[in-house]
Amino acid sequence: QSALTQPASVSGSPGQSITISCTGTSSDVGGYNYVSWYQQHPGKAPKLMIYEVSNRPSGVSNRFSGSKSGNTASLTISGLQAEDEADYYCSSYTSSSRVFGGGTKLTVL
Amino acid sequence: EVQLVESGGGLVQPGGSLRLSCAASGFTVSSNYMSWVRQAPGKGLEWVSVIYSGGSTYYADSVKGRFTISRDNSKNTLYLQMNSLRAEDTAVYYCARGGGWTTPRAFDYWGQGTLVTVSS
């Protein structure tokens, strides 16, 4: 049950686009189309942003999009806004467990 | 409106026990997959356990044999019994709906979390 690998930090200016990667193995990210992404502001509970690789829950901005290639999933945020500054976590299923990435801190410059 | 409210956290000595509760409203716990996820201070998220609607349970290796997930259908409440607690179990514990094999295959609603501190 090793954690998925994410960059520790990414940054971008308002209006720009950024991409956060999430690398696993064929036993998790590569083996299932069940990658999800969560946004967490300081002191708050995580919020689901993307599920099953590329689906957005109702109410989540279409500036957020997800994709996957092989053992690596990606979250792209376009048109960066100040409110997007937060920690982002990916998650995947395995056959008998669930695993999260280590988290990525997004800074909006 | 879906709501999850955790309770039961606190300070406990190493080797001690604690039971967390998660009261749900706006949906039926027994008809859904329900999970516990924890976050150590300043660290990332760690999946702890899931209970399927059919009653099957699964645990992270780090808590297997020490933690037990369960639910009370009459109270629409999820529980996490934690025994043989260690310092490394110190974390905010979140209950979340999901983690199962029906869409969305994700954790779609989260509680506000309850802090468990294991220290002498």
mmCIF file of all heavy atoms in Angstrom, chain A residues 98, chain B residues 2-6 22-25 27-37 47-54 56-58 69-71 76-79 94-101 106-111:
data_model
loop_
_atom_site.group_PDB
_atom_site.id
_atom_site.type_symbol
_atom_site.label_atom_id
_atom_site.label_comp_id
_atom_site.label_asym_id
_atom_site.label_seq_id
_atom_site.Cartn_x
_atom_site.Cartn_y
_atom_site.Cartn_z
ATOM 1 N N ARG A 98 -7.438 1.267 -0.728
ATOM 2 C CA ARG A 98 -7.435 2.559 -1.404
ATOM 3 C C ARG A 98 -6.130 3.257 -1.020
ATOM 4 O O ARG A 98 -5.631 3.071 0.092
ATOM 5 C CB ARG A 98 -8.638 3.411 -0.993
ATOM 6 C CG ARG A 98 -9.959 2.626 -0.890
ATOM 7 C CD ARG A 98 -10.453 2.151 -2.242
ATOM 8 N NE ARG A 98 -11.682 1.366 -2.100
ATOM 9 C CZ ARG A 98 -11.736 0.046 -2.244
ATOM 10 N NH1 ARG A 98 -10.627 -0.640 -2.510
ATOM 11 N NH2 ARG A 98 -12.884 -0.600 -2.114
ATOM 12 N N VAL B 2 -26.669 16.026 2.417
ATOM 13 C CA VAL B 2 -25.789 15.025 3.028
ATOM 14 C C VAL B 2 -24.910 15.683 4.076
ATOM 15 O O VAL B 2 -24.274 16.703 3.813
ATOM 16 C CB VAL B 2 -24.915 14.348 1.959
ATOM 17 C CG1 VAL B 2 -23.840 13.482 2.602
ATOM 18 C CG2 VAL B 2 -25.771 13.520 1.007
ATOM 19 N N GLN B 3 -24.880 15.106 5.265
ATOM 20 C CA GLN B 3 -23.994 15.581 6.331
ATOM 21 C C GLN B 3 -23.385 14.408 7.065
ATOM 22 O O GLN B 3 -24.043 13.391 7.280
ATOM 23 C CB GLN B 3 -24.758 16.465 7.311
ATOM 24 C CG GLN B 3 -24.977 17.893 6.839
ATOM 25 C CD GLN B 3 -25.363 18.828 7.979
ATOM 26 O OE1 GLN B 3 -26.078 18.437 8.890
ATOM 27 N NE2 GLN B 3 -24.888 20.056 7.916
ATOM 28 N N LEU B 4 -22.121 14.578 7.450
ATOM 29 C CA LEU B 4 -21.397 13.596 8.255
ATOM 30 C C LEU B 4 -20.775 14.339 9.425
ATOM 31 O O LEU B 4 -20.064 15.332 9.212
ATOM 32 C CB LEU B 4 -20.311 12.915 7.423
ATOM 33 C CG LEU B 4 -20.797 12.075 6.236
ATOM 34 C CD1 LEU B 4 -19.640 11.733 5.307
ATOM 35 C CD2 LEU B 4 -21.490 10.820 6.717
ATOM 36 N N VAL B 5 -21.035 13.872 10.639
ATOM 37 C CA VAL B 5 -20.525 14.544 11.829
ATOM 38 C C VAL B 5 -19.810 13.522 12.708
ATOM 39 O O VAL B 5 -20.438 12.628 13.273
ATOM 40 C CB VAL B 5 -21.649 15.224 12.627
ATOM 41 C CG1 VAL B 5 -21.067 15.899 13.873
ATOM 42 C CG2 VAL B 5 -22.378 16.244 11.760
ATOM 43 N N GLU B 6 -18.483 13.694 12.800
ATOM 44 C CA GLU B 6 -17.668 12.793 13.617
ATOM 45 C C GLU B 6 -17.619 13.266 15.059
ATOM 46 O O GLU B 6 -17.734 14.466 15.345
ATOM 47 C CB GLU B 6 -16.231 12.704 13.088
ATOM 48 C CG GLU B 6 -16.080 12.196 11.671
ATOM 49 C CD GLU B 6 -15.937 13.329 10.685
ATOM 50 O OE1 GLU B 6 -16.418 14.437 10.984
ATOM 51 O OE2 GLU B 6 -15.339 13.132 9.608
ATOM 52 N N CYS B 22 -19.558 8.494 13.619
ATOM 53 C CA CYS B 22 -19.837 9.368 12.486
ATOM 54 C C CYS B 22 -21.337 9.287 12.217
ATOM 55 O O CYS B 22 -21.821 8.300 11.664
ATOM 56 C CB CYS B 22 -19.037 8.948 11.269
ATOM 57 S SG CYS B 22 -19.476 9.825 9.750
ATOM 58 N N ALA B 23 -22.054 10.320 12.634
ATOM 59 C CA ALA B 23 -23.498 10.362 12.440
ATOM 60 C C ALA B 23 -23.809 10.926 11.063
ATOM 61 O O ALA B 23 -23.339 12.023 10.722
ATOM 62 C CB ALA B 23 -24.145 11.209 13.519
ATOM 63 N N ALA B 24 -24.585 10.187 10.303
ATOM 64 C CA ALA B 24 -24.908 10.598 8.943
ATOM 65 C C ALA B 24 -26.353 11.076 8.845
ATOM 66 O O ALA B 24 -27.237 10.593 9.568
ATOM 67 C CB ALA B 24 -24.692 9.441 7.977
ATOM 68 N N SER B 25 -26.573 12.015 7.949
ATOM 69 C CA SER B 25 -27.928 12.471 7.636
ATOM 70 C C SER B 25 -28.012 12.773 6.151
ATOM 71 O O SER B 25 -27.002 13.055 5.506
ATOM 72 C CB SER B 25 -28.298 13.707 8.456
ATOM 73 O OG SER B 25 -27.387 14.749 8.241
ATOM 74 N N PHE B 27 -28.827 10.598 3.880
ATOM 75 C CA PHE B 27 -28.692 9.352 3.141
ATOM 76 C C PHE B 27 -28.620 8.199 4.150
ATOM 77 O O PHE B 27 -28.484 8.423 5.352
ATOM 78 C CB PHE B 27 -27.455 9.346 2.241
ATOM 79 C CG PHE B 27 -26.151 9.238 2.982
ATOM 80 C CD1 PHE B 27 -25.476 8.022 3.067
ATOM 81 C CD2 PHE B 27 -25.593 10.332 3.609
ATOM 82 C CE1 PHE B 27 -24.279 7.914 3.759
ATOM 83 C CE2 PHE B 27 -24.403 10.244 4.306
ATOM 84 C CZ PHE B 27 -23.744 9.033 4.395
ATOM 85 N N THR B 28 -28.675 6.974 3.651
ATOM 86 C CA THR B 28 -28.675 5.800 4.522
ATOM 87 C C THR B 28 -27.307 5.129 4.513
ATOM 88 O O THR B 28 -26.830 4.671 3.470
ATOM 89 C CB THR B 28 -29.741 4.793 4.056
ATOM 90 O OG1 THR B 28 -31.024 5.441 4.066
ATOM 91 C CG2 THR B 28 -29.792 3.583 4.983
ATOM 92 N N VAL B 29 -26.680 5.082 5.691
ATOM 93 C CA VAL B 29 -25.336 4.516 5.811
ATOM 94 C C VAL B 29 -25.293 3.077 5.314
ATOM 95 O O VAL B 29 -24.391 2.680 4.576
ATOM 96 C CB VAL B 29 -24.846 4.591 7.270
ATOM 97 C CG1 VAL B 29 -23.638 3.700 7.500
ATOM 98 C CG2 VAL B 29 -24.524 6.037 7.646
ATOM 99 N N SER B 30 -26.280 2.280 5.669
ATOM 100 C CA SER B 30 -26.247 0.856 5.355
ATOM 101 C C SER B 30 -26.375 0.579 3.854
ATOM 102 O O SER B 30 -26.039 -0.515 3.402
ATOM 103 C CB SER B 30 -27.348 0.109 6.106
ATOM 104 O OG SER B 30 -28.625 0.597 5.727
ATOM 105 N N SER B 31 -26.834 1.537 3.092
ATOM 106 C CA SER B 31 -26.988 1.350 1.647
ATOM 107 C C SER B 31 -25.778 1.859 0.865
ATOM 108 O O SER B 31 -25.773 1.801 -0.365
ATOM 109 C CB SER B 31 -28.236 2.084 1.143
ATOM 110 O OG SER B 31 -29.402 1.595 1.760
ATOM 111 N N ASN B 32 -24.796 2.364 1.581
ATOM 112 C CA ASN B 32 -23.638 2.958 0.936
ATOM 113 C C ASN B 32 -22.333 2.343 1.426
ATOM 114 O O ASN B 32 -22.302 1.693 2.465
ATOM 115 C CB ASN B 32 -23.593 4.461 1.245
ATOM 116 C CG ASN B 32 -24.597 5.253 0.423
ATOM 117 O OD1 ASN B 32 -24.288 5.754 -0.653
ATOM 118 N ND2 ASN B 32 -25.812 5.355 0.932
ATOM 119 N N TYR B 33 -21.272 2.546 0.657
ATOM 120 C CA TYR B 33 -19.936 2.239 1.119
ATOM 121 C C TYR B 33 -19.499 3.408 2.003
ATOM 122 O O TYR B 33 -19.719 4.566 1.664
ATOM 123 C CB TYR B 33 -18.979 2.102 -0.060
ATOM 124 C CG TYR B 33 -19.320 0.975 -1.004
ATOM 125 C CD1 TYR B 33 -20.168 1.177 -2.084
ATOM 126 C CD2 TYR B 33 -18.771 -0.289 -0.832
ATOM 127 C CE1 TYR B 33 -20.478 0.150 -2.957
ATOM 128 C CE2 TYR B 33 -19.068 -1.328 -1.708
ATOM 129 C CZ TYR B 33 -19.924 -1.106 -2.760
ATOM 130 O OH TYR B 33 -20.227 -2.121 -3.630
ATOM 131 N N MET B 34 -18.877 3.096 3.135
ATOM 132 C CA MET B 34 -18.443 4.136 4.063
ATOM 133 C C MET B 34 -16.997 3.878 4.466
ATOM 134 O O MET B 34 -16.606 2.724 4.688
ATOM 135 C CB MET B 34 -19.322 4.156 5.311
ATOM 136 C CG MET B 34 -20.783 4.499 5.058
ATOM 137 S SD MET B 34 -21.028 6.194 4.474
ATOM 138 C CE MET B 34 -20.407 7.150 5.854
ATOM 139 N N SER B 35 -16.214 4.950 4.584
ATOM 140 C CA SER B 35 -14.782 4.819 4.838
ATOM 141 C C SER B 35 -14.322 5.734 5.962
ATOM 142 O O SER B 35 -14.993 6.699 6.309
ATOM 143 C CB SER B 35 -13.997 5.155 3.569
ATOM 144 O OG SER B 35 -14.305 4.279 2.508
ATOM 145 N N TRP B 36 -13.167 5.399 6.489
ATOM 146 C CA TRP B 36 -12.426 6.285 7.403
ATOM 147 C C TRP B 36 -11.083 6.614 6.738
ATOM 148 O O TRP B 36 -10.413 5.731 6.196
ATOM 149 C CB TRP B 36 -12.172 5.616 8.751
ATOM 150 C CG TRP B 36 -13.400 5.497 9.602
ATOM 151 C CD1 TRP B 36 -14.223 4.415 9.722
ATOM 152 C CD2 TRP B 36 -13.954 6.503 10.461
ATOM 153 N NE1 TRP B 36 -15.252 4.678 10.591
ATOM 154 C CE2 TRP B 36 -15.105 5.962 11.068
ATOM 155 C CE3 TRP B 36 -13.591 7.816 10.792
ATOM 156 C CZ2 TRP B 36 -15.887 6.671 11.970
ATOM 157 C CZ3 TRP B 36 -14.362 8.530 11.688
ATOM 158 C CH2 TRP B 36 -15.502 7.956 12.264
ATOM 159 N N VAL B 37 -10.741 7.889 6.785
ATOM 160 C CA VAL B 37 -9.478 8.385 6.245
ATOM 161 C C VAL B 37 -8.859 9.260 7.327
ATOM 162 O O VAL B 37 -9.565 10.016 7.983
ATOM 163 C CB VAL B 37 -9.707 9.207 4.956
ATOM 164 C CG1 VAL B 37 -8.386 9.796 4.451
ATOM 165 C CG2 VAL B 37 -10.356 8.348 3.885
ATOM 166 N N TRP B 47 -5.764 6.425 3.771
ATOM 167 C CA TRP B 47 -6.963 5.596 3.882
ATOM 168 C C TRP B 47 -6.780 4.608 5.026
ATOM 169 O O TRP B 47 -5.720 4.005 5.192
ATOM 170 C CB TRP B 47 -7.202 4.859 2.570
ATOM 171 C CG TRP B 47 -8.315 3.878 2.640
ATOM 172 C CD1 TRP B 47 -9.656 4.153 2.611
ATOM 173 C CD2 TRP B 47 -8.208 2.461 2.772
ATOM 174 N NE1 TRP B 47 -10.383 2.991 2.708
ATOM 175 C CE2 TRP B 47 -9.518 1.941 2.803
ATOM 176 C CE3 TRP B 47 -7.132 1.582 2.853
ATOM 177 C CZ2 TRP B 47 -9.778 0.585 2.924
ATOM 178 C CZ3 TRP B 47 -7.387 0.228 2.975
ATOM 179 C CH2 TRP B 47 -8.698 -0.267 3.012
ATOM 180 N N VAL B 48 -7.866 4.427 5.823
ATOM 181 C CA VAL B 48 -7.806 3.556 6.994
ATOM 182 C C VAL B 48 -8.651 2.290 6.799
ATOM 183 O O VAL B 48 -8.177 1.177 7.028
ATOM 184 C CB VAL B 48 -8.295 4.314 8.250
ATOM 185 C CG1 VAL B 48 -8.425 3.372 9.443
ATOM 186 C CG2 VAL B 48 -7.349 5.479 8.562
ATOM 187 N N SER B 49 -9.922 2.482 6.400
ATOM 188 C CA SER B 49 -10.818 1.333 6.358
ATOM 189 C C SER B 49 -12.045 1.656 5.534
ATOM 190 O O SER B 49 -12.399 2.819 5.343
ATOM 191 C CB SER B 49 -11.241 0.956 7.782
ATOM 192 O OG SER B 49 -12.098 -0.163 7.791
ATOM 193 N N VAL B 50 -12.705 0.610 5.036
ATOM 194 C CA VAL B 50 -13.968 0.740 4.318
ATOM 195 C C VAL B 50 -14.900 -0.391 4.749
ATOM 196 O O VAL B 50 -14.443 -1.497 5.035
ATOM 197 C CB VAL B 50 -13.752 0.722 2.783
ATOM 198 C CG1 VAL B 50 -13.158 -0.603 2.322
ATOM 199 C CG2 VAL B 50 -15.058 1.025 2.048
ATOM 200 N N ILE B 51 -16.197 -0.076 4.815
ATOM 201 C CA ILE B 51 -17.214 -1.091 5.027
ATOM 202 C C ILE B 51 -18.172 -1.024 3.847
ATOM 203 O O ILE B 51 -18.656 0.039 3.473
ATOM 204 C CB ILE B 51 -17.964 -0.922 6.384
ATOM 205 C CG1 ILE B 51 -18.977 -2.047 6.581
ATOM 206 C CG2 ILE B 51 -18.619 0.450 6.497
ATOM 207 C CD1 ILE B 51 -19.524 -2.122 8.019
ATOM 208 N N TYR B 52 -18.386 -2.168 3.230
ATOM 209 C CA TYR B 52 -19.268 -2.223 2.076
ATOM 210 C C TYR B 52 -20.733 -2.265 2.521
ATOM 211 O O TYR B 52 -21.038 -2.643 3.651
ATOM 212 C CB TYR B 52 -18.953 -3.462 1.237
ATOM 213 C CG TYR B 52 -17.657 -3.404 0.474
ATOM 214 C CD1 TYR B 52 -16.775 -2.333 0.575
ATOM 215 C CD2 TYR B 52 -17.290 -4.445 -0.372
ATOM 216 C CE1 TYR B 52 -15.599 -2.300 -0.138
ATOM 217 C CE2 TYR B 52 -16.117 -4.426 -1.096
ATOM 218 C CZ TYR B 52 -15.270 -3.353 -0.975
ATOM 219 O OH TYR B 52 -14.097 -3.325 -1.696
ATOM 220 N N SER B 53 -21.618 -1.949 1.612
ATOM 221 C CA SER B 53 -23.037 -2.007 1.938
ATOM 222 C C SER B 53 -23.447 -3.423 2.351
ATOM 223 O O SER B 53 -24.321 -3.610 3.204
ATOM 224 C CB SER B 53 -23.873 -1.542 0.742
ATOM 225 O OG SER B 53 -23.495 -2.226 -0.437
ATOM 226 N N GLY B 54 -22.769 -4.414 1.816
ATOM 227 C CA GLY B 54 -23.063 -5.798 2.171
ATOM 228 C C GLY B 54 -22.445 -6.250 3.479
ATOM 229 O O GLY B 54 -22.730 -7.355 3.962
ATOM 230 N N SER B 56 -18.986 -6.341 4.179
ATOM 231 C CA SER B 56 -17.559 -6.676 4.117
ATOM 232 C C SER B 56 -16.725 -5.496 4.567
ATOM 233 O O SER B 56 -17.097 -4.345 4.326
ATOM 234 C CB SER B 56 -17.168 -7.077 2.693
ATOM 235 O OG SER B 56 -17.868 -8.221 2.271
ATOM 236 N N THR B 57 -15.606 -5.804 5.206
ATOM 237 C CA THR B 57 -14.726 -4.749 5.712
ATOM 238 C C THR B 57 -13.292 -4.970 5.247
ATOM 239 O O THR B 57 -12.849 -6.119 5.082
ATOM 240 C CB THR B 57 -14.756 -4.702 7.244
ATOM 241 O OG1 THR B 57 -14.349 -5.972 7.763
ATOM 242 C CG2 THR B 57 -16.148 -4.376 7.764
ATOM 243 N N TYR B 58 -12.572 -3.868 5.046
ATOM 244 C CA TYR B 58 -11.187 -3.913 4.625
ATOM 245 C C TYR B 58 -10.418 -2.838 5.389
ATOM 246 O O TYR B 58 -10.975 -1.802 5.753
ATOM 247 C CB TYR B 58 -11.066 -3.685 3.117
ATOM 248 C CG TYR B 58 -11.731 -4.772 2.303
ATOM 249 C CD1 TYR B 58 -13.079 -4.679 1.966
ATOM 250 C CD2 TYR B 58 -11.027 -5.906 1.909
ATOM 251 C CE1 TYR B 58 -13.707 -5.682 1.247
ATOM 252 C CE2 TYR B 58 -11.648 -6.919 1.183
ATOM 253 C CZ TYR B 58 -12.988 -6.792 0.869
ATOM 254 O OH TYR B 58 -13.605 -7.793 0.157
ATOM 255 N N ILE B 69 -14.043 -1.378 11.884
ATOM 256 C CA ILE B 69 -15.091 -0.510 11.357
ATOM 257 C C ILE B 69 -16.432 -1.228 11.485
ATOM 258 O O ILE B 69 -16.517 -2.450 11.296
ATOM 259 C CB ILE B 69 -14.794 -0.131 9.883
ATOM 260 C CG1 ILE B 69 -15.744 0.955 9.385
ATOM 261 C CG2 ILE B 69 -14.841 -1.355 8.971
ATOM 262 C CD1 ILE B 69 -15.368 1.521 8.009
ATOM 263 N N SER B 70 -17.461 -0.478 11.833
ATOM 264 C CA SER B 70 -18.794 -1.067 11.963
ATOM 265 C C SER B 70 -19.840 0.024 11.770
ATOM 266 O O SER B 70 -19.499 1.206 11.630
ATOM 267 C CB SER B 70 -18.963 -1.735 13.328
ATOM 268 O OG SER B 70 -18.886 -0.760 14.361
ATOM 269 N N ARG B 71 -21.088 -0.357 11.785
ATOM 270 C CA ARG B 71 -22.173 0.619 11.649
ATOM 271 C C ARG B 71 -23.372 0.157 12.453
ATOM 272 O O ARG B 71 -23.540 -1.041 12.727
ATOM 273 C CB ARG B 71 -22.534 0.778 10.166
ATOM 274 C CG ARG B 71 -23.147 -0.466 9.555
ATOM 275 C CD ARG B 71 -23.274 -0.381 8.039
ATOM 276 N NE ARG B 71 -23.885 -1.593 7.505
ATOM 277 C CZ ARG B 71 -23.643 -2.089 6.310
ATOM 278 N NH1 ARG B 71 -22.798 -1.470 5.477
ATOM 279 N NH2 ARG B 71 -24.245 -3.204 5.912
ATOM 280 N N ASN B 76 -28.106 5.101 11.992
ATOM 281 C CA ASN B 76 -27.501 5.656 10.781
ATOM 282 C C ASN B 76 -26.116 6.220 11.076
ATOM 283 O O ASN B 76 -25.772 7.351 10.679
ATOM 284 C CB ASN B 76 -28.398 6.744 10.157
ATOM 285 C CG ASN B 76 -28.215 6.845 8.660
ATOM 286 O OD1 ASN B 76 -27.970 5.866 7.963
ATOM 287 N ND2 ASN B 76 -28.354 8.055 8.131
ATOM 288 N N THR B 77 -25.332 5.438 11.790
ATOM 289 C CA THR B 77 -24.037 5.899 12.296
ATOM 290 C C THR B 77 -22.937 4.883 11.978
ATOM 291 O O THR B 77 -23.149 3.672 12.072
ATOM 292 C CB THR B 77 -24.104 6.133 13.812
ATOM 293 O OG1 THR B 77 -25.055 7.180 14.076
ATOM 294 C CG2 THR B 77 -22.749 6.536 14.376
ATOM 295 N N LEU B 78 -21.785 5.411 11.616
ATOM 296 C CA LEU B 78 -20.585 4.631 11.336
ATOM 297 C C LEU B 78 -19.654 4.740 12.541
ATOM 298 O O LEU B 78 -19.605 5.782 13.205
ATOM 299 C CB LEU B 78 -19.895 5.186 10.092
ATOM 300 C CG LEU B 78 -18.586 4.551 9.643
ATOM 301 C CD1 LEU B 78 -18.853 3.183 9.020
ATOM 302 C CD2 LEU B 78 -17.864 5.460 8.649
ATOM 303 N N TYR B 79 -18.908 3.678 12.812
ATOM 304 C CA TYR B 79 -17.989 3.663 13.945
ATOM 305 C C TYR B 79 -16.598 3.211 13.518
ATOM 306 O O TYR B 79 -16.423 2.520 12.516
ATOM 307 C CB TYR B 79 -18.490 2.721 15.047
ATOM 308 C CG TYR B 79 -19.833 3.078 15.608
ATOM 309 C CD1 TYR B 79 -20.985 2.405 15.207
ATOM 310 C CD2 TYR B 79 -19.963 4.105 16.550
ATOM 311 C CE1 TYR B 79 -22.224 2.729 15.715
ATOM 312 C CE2 TYR B 79 -21.200 4.438 17.069
ATOM 313 C CZ TYR B 79 -22.327 3.745 16.646
ATOM 314 O OH TYR B 79 -23.563 4.083 17.163
ATOM 315 N N TYR B 94 -11.268 11.381 9.512
ATOM 316 C CA TYR B 94 -12.438 11.784 8.742
ATOM 317 C C TYR B 94 -13.258 10.551 8.377
ATOM 318 O O TYR B 94 -12.695 9.520 7.972
ATOM 319 C CB TYR B 94 -12.022 12.437 7.421
ATOM 320 C CG TYR B 94 -11.289 13.750 7.536
ATOM 321 C CD1 TYR B 94 -9.900 13.810 7.406
ATOM 322 C CD2 TYR B 94 -11.983 14.945 7.735
ATOM 323 C CE1 TYR B 94 -9.218 15.022 7.480
ATOM 324 C CE2 TYR B 94 -11.313 16.165 7.805
ATOM 325 C CZ TYR B 94 -9.921 16.183 7.680
ATOM 326 O OH TYR B 94 -9.261 17.392 7.745
ATOM 327 N N CYS B 95 -14.574 10.657 8.501
ATOM 328 C CA CYS B 95 -15.401 9.653 7.861
ATOM 329 C C CYS B 95 -15.825 10.214 6.510
ATOM 330 O O CYS B 95 -15.956 11.429 6.318
ATOM 331 C CB CYS B 95 -16.593 9.240 8.702
ATOM 332 S SG CYS B 95 -17.933 10.413 8.808
ATOM 333 N N ALA B 96 -15.993 9.335 5.562
ATOM 334 C CA ALA B 96 -16.333 9.741 4.203
ATOM 335 C C ALA B 96 -17.274 8.720 3.588
ATOM 336 O O ALA B 96 -17.156 7.515 3.844
ATOM 337 C CB ALA B 96 -15.062 9.857 3.358
ATOM 338 N N ARG B 97 -18.200 9.221 2.795
ATOM 339 C CA ARG B 97 -19.044 8.305 2.051
ATOM 340 C C ARG B 97 -18.283 7.874 0.802
ATOM 341 O O ARG B 97 -17.687 8.690 0.106
ATOM 342 C CB ARG B 97 -20.358 8.978 1.637
ATOM 343 C CG ARG B 97 -21.373 7.993 1.079
ATOM 344 C CD ARG B 97 -22.686 8.656 0.750
ATOM 345 N NE ARG B 97 -22.624 9.428 -0.483
ATOM 346 C CZ ARG B 97 -23.699 9.951 -1.089
ATOM 347 N NH1 ARG B 97 -24.903 9.788 -0.535
ATOM 348 N NH2 ARG B 97 -23.573 10.641 -2.197
ATOM 349 N N GLY B 98 -18.337 6.586 0.531
ATOM 350 C CA GLY B 98 -17.707 6.075 -0.680
ATOM 351 C C GLY B 98 -16.534 5.167 -0.384
ATOM 352 O O GLY B 98 -16.323 4.732 0.738
ATOM 353 N N GLY B 99 -15.780 4.897 -1.423
ATOM 354 C CA GLY B 99 -14.657 3.972 -1.333
ATOM 355 C C GLY B 99 -15.045 2.588 -1.802
ATOM 356 O O GLY B 99 -14.302 1.633 -1.638
ATOM 357 N N GLY B 100 -16.223 2.499 -2.426
ATOM 358 C CA GLY B 100 -16.711 1.200 -2.867
ATOM 359 C C GLY B 100 -16.728 1.055 -4.368
ATOM 360 O O GLY B 100 -16.097 1.825 -5.087
ATOM 361 N N TRP B 101 -17.447 0.096 -4.857
ATOM 362 C CA TRP B 101 -17.380 -0.306 -6.250
ATOM 363 C C TRP B 101 -18.556 0.156 -7.086
ATOM 364 O O TRP B 101 -18.818 -0.400 -8.155
ATOM 365 C CB TRP B 101 -17.203 -1.824 -6.344
ATOM 366 C CG TRP B 101 -15.911 -2.246 -5.731
ATOM 367 C CD1 TRP B 101 -15.727 -2.741 -4.483
ATOM 368 C CD2 TRP B 101 -14.599 -2.150 -6.319
ATOM 369 N NE1 TRP B 101 -14.388 -2.982 -4.258
ATOM 370 C CE2 TRP B 101 -13.677 -2.631 -5.358
ATOM 371 C CE3 TRP B 101 -14.114 -1.708 -7.550
ATOM 372 C CZ2 TRP B 101 -12.301 -2.684 -5.599
ATOM 373 C CZ3 TRP B 101 -12.747 -1.763 -7.799
ATOM 374 C CH2 TRP B 101 -11.859 -2.244 -6.831
ATOM 375 N N ALA B 106 -15.112 6.898 -5.450
ATOM 376 C CA ALA B 106 -14.351 7.970 -4.811
ATOM 377 C C ALA B 106 -15.018 8.251 -3.473
ATOM 378 O O ALA B 106 -16.013 7.618 -3.117
ATOM 379 C CB ALA B 106 -14.355 9.224 -5.694
ATOM 380 N N PHE B 107 -14.459 9.208 -2.732
ATOM 381 C CA PHE B 107 -15.039 9.640 -1.469
ATOM 382 C C PHE B 107 -15.759 10.956 -1.732
ATOM 383 O O PHE B 107 -15.099 11.999 -1.860
ATOM 384 C CB PHE B 107 -13.930 9.801 -0.423
ATOM 385 C CG PHE B 107 -13.049 8.590 -0.298
ATOM 386 C CD1 PHE B 107 -11.796 8.563 -0.909
ATOM 387 C CD2 PHE B 107 -13.461 7.478 0.402
ATOM 388 C CE1 PHE B 107 -10.975 7.451 -0.822
ATOM 389 C CE2 PHE B 107 -12.646 6.355 0.497
ATOM 390 C CZ PHE B 107 -11.404 6.340 -0.112
ATOM 391 N N ASP B 108 -17.096 10.917 -1.843
ATOM 392 C CA ASP B 108 -17.789 12.098 -2.339
ATOM 393 C C ASP B 108 -18.269 13.061 -1.262
ATOM 394 O O ASP B 108 -18.513 14.234 -1.572
ATOM 395 C CB ASP B 108 -18.931 11.714 -3.292
ATOM 396 C CG ASP B 108 -20.007 10.860 -2.651
ATOM 397 O OD1 ASP B 108 -19.805 10.391 -1.509
ATOM 398 O OD2 ASP B 108 -21.056 10.657 -3.305
ATOM 399 N N TYR B 109 -18.433 12.618 -0.033
ATOM 400 C CA TYR B 109 -18.779 13.510 1.062
ATOM 401 C C TYR B 109 -17.904 13.178 2.263
ATOM 402 O O TYR B 109 -17.655 11.997 2.548
ATOM 403 C CB TYR B 109 -20.264 13.393 1.450
ATOM 404 C CG TYR B 109 -21.197 14.016 0.442
ATOM 405 C CD1 TYR B 109 -21.759 13.246 -0.570
ATOM 406 C CD2 TYR B 109 -21.494 15.375 0.498
ATOM 407 C CE1 TYR B 109 -22.600 13.820 -1.506
ATOM 408 C CE2 TYR B 109 -22.335 15.957 -0.446
ATOM 409 C CZ TYR B 109 -22.874 15.168 -1.441
ATOM 410 O OH TYR B 109 -23.707 15.741 -2.374
ATOM 411 N N TRP B 110 -17.459 14.225 2.958
ATOM 412 C CA TRP B 110 -16.550 14.088 4.084
ATOM 413 C C TRP B 110 -17.112 14.804 5.305
ATOM 414 O O TRP B 110 -17.757 15.848 5.183
ATOM 415 C CB TRP B 110 -15.189 14.704 3.760
ATOM 416 C CG TRP B 110 -14.452 14.066 2.626
ATOM 417 C CD1 TRP B 110 -14.821 14.033 1.309
ATOM 418 C CD2 TRP B 110 -13.201 13.386 2.711
ATOM 419 N NE1 TRP B 110 -13.879 13.369 0.572
ATOM 420 C CE2 TRP B 110 -12.870 12.963 1.399
ATOM 421 C CE3 TRP B 110 -12.322 13.097 3.754
ATOM 422 C CZ2 TRP B 110 -11.693 12.264 1.118
ATOM 423 C CZ3 TRP B 110 -11.154 12.408 3.473
ATOM 424 C CH2 TRP B 110 -10.843 11.992 2.168
ATOM 425 N N GLY B 111 -16.824 14.257 6.481
ATOM 426 C CA GLY B 111 -17.127 14.972 7.699
ATOM 427 C C GLY B 111 -16.071 16.021 7.979
ATOM 428 O O GLY B 111 -15.111 16.178 7.210
#
